[in-house]
Amino acid sequence: MYLTEHDVRGIAAYTRIELDESELAALTVEFNAIIESLKPITEYDLEGVEPTFHPIAGLSNVMREDTAEPVMSREVAMELAQDVHEGQYRVLPILGEGGEQ
């Protein structure tokens, strides 16, 4: 199964990619070369092989439960800060000359 310029024009329209005539022709040739390179895959005997949706069958969500945990109080956070000014973290300036802000 090969693609025509009409097919590629439809793909370009669907993906909102503007192609001029020379790009359309070149892309049609390139897509068909890709299809041709995948042709050996069609020669495998897949009779009785069940389709899989993930290469590791039976894989399930391995993330932990999302549970609320105690958080650090503002007072403790300020105690751990390197420098605090008027109840906020003070950090070194990274652009230009710093100054009292």
Side-chain angles (χ1 to χ4, degrees):
M1 173 178 146
Y2 292 97
L3 300 176
T4 65
E5 285 190 3
H6 178 2
D7 297 326
V8 175
R9 187 178 284 112
I11 293 168
Y14 180 76
T15 57
R16 297 184 177 157
I17 298 174
E18 188 175 330
L19 299 174
D20 63 29
E21 290 303 314
S22 66
E23 292 170 324
L24 180 65
L27 199 55
T28 302
V29 169
E30 192 170 333
F31 279 168
N32 285 323
I34 292 168
I35 291 169
E36 183 65 31
S37 72
L38 296 173
K39 204 171 193 174
I41 293 173
T42 64
E43 297 171 7
Y44 290 111
D45 178 19
L46 301 176
E47 187 68 34
V49 176
E50 292 293 318
T52 59
F53 298 98
H54 195 282
I56 303 173
L59 184 66
S60 63
N61 188 352
V62 293
M63 309 224 1
R64 67 171 173 76
E65 282 293 315
D66 188 14
T67 56
E69 297 183 7
V71 295
M72 184 182 307
S73 71
R74 179 176 175 83
E75 291 77 27
V76 172
M78 291 297 121
E79 287 174 13
L80 296 173
Q82 188 175 20
D83 193 7
V84 176
H85 177 70
E86 296 179 2
Q88 299 180 358
Y89 288 111
R90 185 191 317 227
V91 295
L92 296 173
I94 58 169
L95 300 174
E97 298 294 319
E100 195 68 29
Q101 306 260 340

